[in-house]
Amino acid sequence: MKKPLFILLFFILCTSSWAQSTQAPTTKRPNIVFIMSDDHAYQAISAYSNRLIETPNIDRIAKMGMRFTNATVTNSICAPSRATILTGKHSHLNGKIDNDFPFDTTNVTFPQLFQEAGYQTAMFGKLHFGNAPKGFDQYKILPGQGSYYNPDFITKNEGNIRVEGYVTDIITDMTLDWLKEERNPSDPFLLFYLHKAPHREWLPAERHLEEFTQRTFPEPATLFDDYSGRGRAAKEAEMNLLKHLHWSGDSKIYPSVMKELGIPGTSNWDTLAFSREVGRLTPQQRANWDKSYDLVNASFKSSFPSMDEKEKMQWRYQRYMQDYLGTIRAVDENVGRVLDYLEANNLMDNTLIVYTSDQGFYLGEHGWYDKRFVYDESFKTPLLVAWPGKIAPGSTSSTMVQNLDYAQTFLEAAGIPAPADMQGESLLPLLTGNSESWTRDAVYYHYYEYPAVHMVKRHYAVVTEQYKLVHYYYDVDEWELIDRIKDPQELRNVYEDPAYAPVVAELHRKLEELRKQYGDSAEISQGYLDTYLDRLEKNPAYGTNAEVTKKLLEERKKSRKEQ
Ligand code: CA
């Protein structure tokens, strides 16, 4: 069909439907269901790899639509990622650079635009900002990190409530209740369905404890990484499974057993984290919980005294995976409940469904848990997008896309103009098979929270499908080049290798181009660092590593005197 004729036909169709009913164009706008979990590594979704766990329900979204294999974040940490998703802007512009900086509520977030355009908007689950979400007709959110067992919620209409049960089930119940009872079926909706799981401290539902606490999982190839091929940032990070996990809070070793075996807590936080979560269980729930963890503790008590360091690491990896993957089983079951509801109520055909996480996560790769680094397992995030009739079923894309792009994607899908200062790109051309118009071949990354928990140094990077050029710029001045194709495990910094000199030069050029394009600079970084260090002077505990924090604050004092 030739274009003018097509446009004419479209015009006739639109105007005739307007003539029949003024509601017709509105009802055609797609619903958006945005499903996001917290810290869900793509390694733990069977659409990506079934080495660790089967996730048949999450995989249904991949089967219906597109699976992205190079989806990434701009700043791999919880609240900043959420701020980027909502604003479509990099951290240095939306201001939410780390978990502690408050979110500036004068930012325009895309749900506000949906609400103004007549969409019904609702959010259930974990937002992880200090603020109530703007632009939502209805919300029930967890305060801060929230709790796994018998959680509290901040609600729009009922004040603060506590609900008995398991957090993943409850968030889903709230979501389904809204879909069934509160939603007006004649208008399109934007639904945020946000899981707390699988965030630390990884507490599975009672029904999954028995199975998961007894399972064994394959180890990653880099579990015993000694960081010899990289610089100080990797060596000095505090997220090693053996050295930095809490025995009690994370591995669920009872404080009494630790005492008996003479294991010191890694911090006061260690046993506190345990009692904070487990202390919420009712006596009946606690009895069920103990059935599984009594066995874990009994077996640990008998085997720990003879374990060498390697065996301790292996034990901690298994314990970590048992609980982490146990929480994912409940996420998968519950995603299935929502998909079943959409299917049974004819909502699939006009609904764009996304499954993602706020970032990736280390599942023992490099010996680590947690995120923050630009290395793949935390930089990349799962991204599955279904929209029946629009996106080819079972398709994949290896294009470099980012959480920065979601806002503009949803706005375009809904036919709502995006503000000119949003910095992403709509993914619709990729999703609908029109990728010729896509020109971006590199993405920008910037992580800030240091010195702080896990001690990952500040760094920014440019990443292409082939390479990563990284600059660790504070407390150190180190450049790193990773060859993503030849070194997929990211074990060797080849920045100084003469063979890569042309690549280094080209990537420096690209990095400067991106920093200019996105409006980031050394001055802006210094401004955020100064604000952070001012705060740290008042509260050095936030630096977590007392020795390093003291050293950095003294260096700052000295340089002030010299100026
Ligand atoms: Ca997170």
Side-chain angles (χ1 to χ4, degrees):
M1 196 187 294
K2 282 196 178 120
K3 237 183 186 167
L5 179 61
F6 174 76
I7 290 168
L8 183 68
L9 257 176
F10 182 74
F11 182 74
I12 293 167
L13 279 170
C14 287
T15 47
S16 64
S17 69
W18 266 106
Q20 285 160 9
S21 156
T22 50
Q23 289 205 329
T26 330
T27 53
K28 281 184 188 143
R29 292 189 292 176
N31 308 307
I32 314 260
V33 177
F34 181 70
I35 312 173
M36 183 163 73
S37 298
D38 194 343
D39 294 355
H40 193 169
Y42 57 92
Q43 309 93 292
I45 293 179
S46 47
Y48 285 92
S49 160
N50 64 359
R51 205 175 63 91
L52 293 171
I53 191 170
E54 294 292 338
T55 51
N57 291 298
I58 296 170
D59 293 5
R60 282 161 68 186
I61 303 172
K63 283 189 189 126
M64 281 191 289
M66 185 173 277
R67 178 174 65 98
F68 286 88
T69 58
N70 249 323
T72 66
V73 295
T74 62
N75 181 2
S76 182
I77 179 167
C78 304
S81 168
R82 289 149 194 268
T84 291
I85 288 169
L86 289 171
T87 62
K89 290 179 184 172
H90 277 278
S91 304
H92 64 273
L93 286 196
N94 70 44
K96 185 77 186 153
I97 58 153
D98 64 27
N99 272 343
D100 203 48
F101 264 67
F103 180 63
D104 175 0
T105 54
T106 62
N107 275 301
V108 172
T109 61
F110 80 83
Q112 292 170 274
L113 304 174
F114 271 74
Q115 194 180 42
E116 281 166 20
Y119 265 74
Q120 305 171 78
T121 54
M123 174 188 280
F124 302 100
K126 181 170 173 185
L127 174 65
H128 195 203
F129 282 179
N131 333 85
K134 273 191 171 177
F136 286 91
D137 305 329
Q138 177 60 286
Y139 62 79
K140 295 180 182 180
I141 57 171
L142 296 165
Q145 297 284 10
S147 302
Y148 276 101
Y149 300 136
N150 307 328
D152 297 317
F153 285 84
I154 300 165
T155 71
K156 184 157 184 173
N157 301 324
E158 301 158 58
N160 294 352
I161 57 170
R162 178 169 293 194
V163 186
E164 190 171 322
Y166 186 62
V167 69
T168 308
D169 303 336
I170 296 166
I171 291 168
T172 310
D173 293 343
M174 289 171 167
T175 301
L176 289 172
D177 283 350
W178 182 83
L179 279 168
K180 288 175 194 166
E181 285 154 28
E182 223 174 302
R183 181 179 65 90
N184 170 4
S186 60
D187 287 332
F189 63 86
L190 168 71
L191 174 62
F192 272 56
Y193 168 46
L194 309 172
H195 285 296
K196 167 186 170 60
H199 193 276
R200 198 182 186 186
E201 283 84 12
W202 315 300
L203 290 138
E206 277 172 73
R207 64 184 178 279
H208 298 135
L209 290 176
E210 195 182 343
E211 178 192 345
F212 276 85
T213 54
Q214 296 304 318
R215 279 179 66 173
T216 313
F217 298 94
E219 290 172 7
T222 58
L223 183 62
F224 295 96
D225 189 355
D226 63 1
Y227 317 114
S228 58
R230 282 130 297 149
R232 274 181 54 200
K235 291 185 179 83
E236 294 174 15
E238 296 181 354
M239 41 199 244
N240 183 276
L241 288 173
L242 178 58
K243 292 183 198 149
H244 304 110
L245 272 183
H246 295 156
W247 283 101
S248 184
D250 295 319
S251 299
K252 293 30 170 232
I253 293 306
Y254 299 157
S256 58
V257 173
M258 284 170 66
K259 208 169 165 192
E260 209 176 309
L261 295 171
I263 302 171
T266 47
S267 68
N268 289 339
W269 190 245
D270 193 330
T271 48
L272 273 180
F274 180 83
S275 53
R276 194 186 58 224
E277 275 290 355
V278 181
R280 300 181 69 89
L281 294 166
T282 65
Q284 182 58 48
Q285 291 169 331
R286 180 65 199 260
N288 284 339
W289 199 89
D290 284 349
K291 265 189 220 158
S292 295
Y293 287 102
D294 281 354
L295 291 176
V296 168
N297 276 270
S299 127
F300 179 72
K301 225 161 85 173
S302 62
S303 55
F304 179 78
S306 63
M307 282 184 203
D308 61 22
E309 293 303 287
K310 186 183 173 198
E311 286 163 338
K312 280 181 198 164
M313 180 66 155
Q314 291 171 316
W315 183 89
R316 297 210 81 166
Y317 169 74
Q318 293 301 337
R319 198 71 281 293
Y320 168 41
M321 282 299 90
Q322 289 168 351
D323 290 347
Y324 180 94
L325 296 168
T327 71
I328 285 169
R329 172 58 57 80
V331 171
D332 188 66
E333 288 172 354
N334 278 286
V335 166
R337 291 173 65 205
V338 171
L339 295 179
D340 287 348
Y341 179 84
L342 296 174
E343 257 169 24
N345 291 278
N346 295 323
L347 283 164
M348 276 300 187
D349 286 349
N350 197 27
T351 301
L352 193 161
I353 306 169
V354 172
Y355 188 90
T356 190
S357 170
D358 55 351
Q359 10 63 212
F361 214 68
Y362 297 99
L363 303 184
E365 298 88 359
H366 306 290
W368 288 334
Y369 62 103
D370 213 72
K371 52 248 179 184
R372 297 159 196 271
F373 275 108
V374 73
Y375 298 121
D376 270 1
E377 292 82 2
S378 64
F379 170 58
K380 287 183 13 175
T381 192
L383 179 63
L384 311 170
V385 189
W387 191 4
K390 296 281 197 318
I391 303 173
S395 51
T396 60
S397 171
S398 63
T399 307
M400 303 282 308
V401 301
Q402 288 197 293
N403 58 347
L404 182 70
D405 302 322
Y406 301 168
Q408 279 151 279
T409 305
F410 301 150
L411 289 167
E412 191 184 357
I416 304 168
D421 61 352
M422 281 191 174
Q423 298 185 304
E425 289 182 43
S426 165
L427 304 179
L428 283 198
L430 301 175
L431 291 166
T432 55
N434 298 304
S435 53
E436 350 31 279
S437 64
W438 186 270
T439 55
R440 190 173 72 198
D441 59 357
V443 296
Y444 182 62
Y445 183 85
H446 196 155
Y447 170 80
Y448 299 81
E449 197 175 80
Y450 180 86
V453 62
H454 300 303
M455 297 301 283
V456 174
K457 296 186 201 300
R458 289 167 187 247
H459 57 293
Y460 57 83
V462 57
V463 185
T464 66
E465 285 192 40
Q466 254 187 304
Y467 301 105
K468 274 179 197 170
L469 177 69
V470 192
H471 188 205
Y472 296 96
Y473 63 90
Y474 175 61
D475 185 27
V476 72
D477 181 12
E478 290 180 358
W479 288 88
E480 200 163 85
L481 178 71
I482 300 287
D483 185 329
R484 301 184 77 193
I485 310 297
K486 288 191 183 150
D487 178 23
Q489 291 176 345
E490 304 180 292
L491 298 172
R492 290 189 313 278
N493 175 13
V494 291
Y495 186 78
E496 301 290 346
D497 183 338
Y500 285 94
V503 172
V504 166
E506 169 58 19
L507 287 172
H508 271 293
R509 193 196 60 72
K510 192 87 206 168
L511 179 63
E512 280 321 301
E513 184 187 301
L514 285 183
R515 277 167 69 83
K516 206 170 156 193
Q517 179 192 329
Y518 291 129
D520 200 5
S521 67
E523 292 72 36
I524 294 176
S525 301
Q526 188 61 46
Y528 280 121
L529 179 60
D530 284 337
T531 311
Y532 188 84
L533 294 176
D534 288 345
R535 201 174 42 173
L536 210 56
E537 276 174 359
K538 289 186 200 114
N539 180 17
Y542 199 74
T544 62
N545 183 319
E547 204 182 319
V548 174
T549 303
K550 195 173 157 216
K551 182 198 86 173
L552 292 171
L553 290 178
E554 273 169 8
E555 277 175 11
R556 187 186 196 211
K557 226 186 226 169
K558 209 175 134 206
S559 81
R560 270 185 184 150
K561 274 185 194 155
E562 282 165 6
Q563 274 167 13

